[in-house]
Amino acid sequence: MSESNEKNIYAVHFSKYGIFCGILFVMFGLMLLFVILSRSAWNKKLSSEVQECVTEYYDENYTVGNVISFSDSFSLNAFFCELKLNGKDSEKYAVLVRITTFYGPLPAVFIYDSKTKKTEFLCFSDLKNLATDIVIENSKKLQIEYWTDKIGNYLNVNINQNREGLK
């Protein structure tokens, strides 16, 4: 085989691999772009879900404030936001997390009070009918208590760390 023929074969292979890598790069870039662009719409929808539950089951004077993000794996599966009392900052936070119930996974809203360090279950945000009481009753001892403890412990540590980082 001649040297020019060998170079030609390598050039063909490298160009094919280059095109393939370029296509992969463009596809991943597009996916990342769509994720970044859809993040604000996603946060608005989750905020409105939390706001409906807070207004209906908790207190009309509370509104959803800023979205809180933490850099760990637990925060990827939950939505955290501040609650404001009459437009002013409060010591309460809302958490929307998907929990497994006897009837399948459902988004549940919890309220965490950083003063008392207590977490309480508020509602299932997707249930707006008569089945709500049945689902809550069947899930109360299983998953709701587990998530109440887990969210309380998690936010107790991370809210304090977040405040220290802001100072």
Side-chain angles (χ1 to χ4, degrees):
M1 214 189 245
S2 71
E3 189 176 310
S4 65
N5 214 7
E6 220 175 86
K7 286 182 181 179
N8 193 16
I9 290 173
Y10 286 132
V12 169
H13 285 296
F14 283 138
S15 66
K16 286 182 181 179
Y17 290 134
I19 291 170
F20 176 73
C21 289
I23 290 171
L24 282 178
F25 182 74
V26 168
M27 287 176 52
F28 283 122
L30 285 173
M31 287 191 323
L32 182 63
L33 177 69
F34 290 136
V35 166
I36 290 170
L37 291 176
S38 67
R39 185 175 297 162
S40 75
W42 181 259
N43 284 342
K44 285 179 187 175
K45 175 65 176 158
L46 293 177
S47 293
S48 69
E49 290 286 326
V50 171
Q51 183 62 52
E52 284 179 25
C53 288
V54 168
T55 302
E56 187 173 342
Y57 296 103
Y58 197 62
D59 189 351
E60 291 180 4
N61 296 327
Y62 281 97
T63 57
V64 174
N66 297 329
V67 175
I68 303 169
S69 60
F70 301 108
S71 57
D72 59 8
S73 60
F74 181 70
S75 65
L76 294 174
N77 297 315
F79 176 77
F80 302 94
C81 60
E82 297 174 337
L83 289 179
K84 295 186 179 241
L85 180 60
N86 296 323
K88 298 178 183 174
D89 288 340
S90 71
E91 296 292 321
K92 296 192 179 193
Y93 300 88
V95 180
L96 180 77
V97 64
R98 184 179 62 190
I99 65 173
T100 305
T101 66
F102 186 71
Y103 302 99
L106 293 170
V109 177
F110 294 86
I111 303 294
Y112 173 76
D113 188 343
S114 61
K115 280 185 183 176
T116 62
K117 307 228 183 304
K118 302 262 184 196
T119 305
E120 65 178 294
F121 171 74
L122 190 58
C123 70
F124 288 107
S125 68
D126 279 354
L127 293 179
K128 307 278 193 250
N129 57 24
L130 298 175
T132 304
D133 295 334
I134 296 169
V135 173
I136 291 172
E137 201 54 44
N138 288 333
S139 303
K140 196 94 171 154
K141 292 182 177 133
L142 302 173
Q143 293 293 327
I144 292 176
E145 289 178 6
Y146 168 79
W147 282 104
T148 301
D149 291 339
K150 186 168 180 112
I151 289 169
N153 293 336
Y154 178 80
L155 284 178
N156 188 26
V157 170
N158 285 298
I159 293 294
N160 291 333
Q161 285 179 352
N162 195 23
R163 283 187 185 149
E164 289 172 8
L166 294 174
K167 290 180 181 177

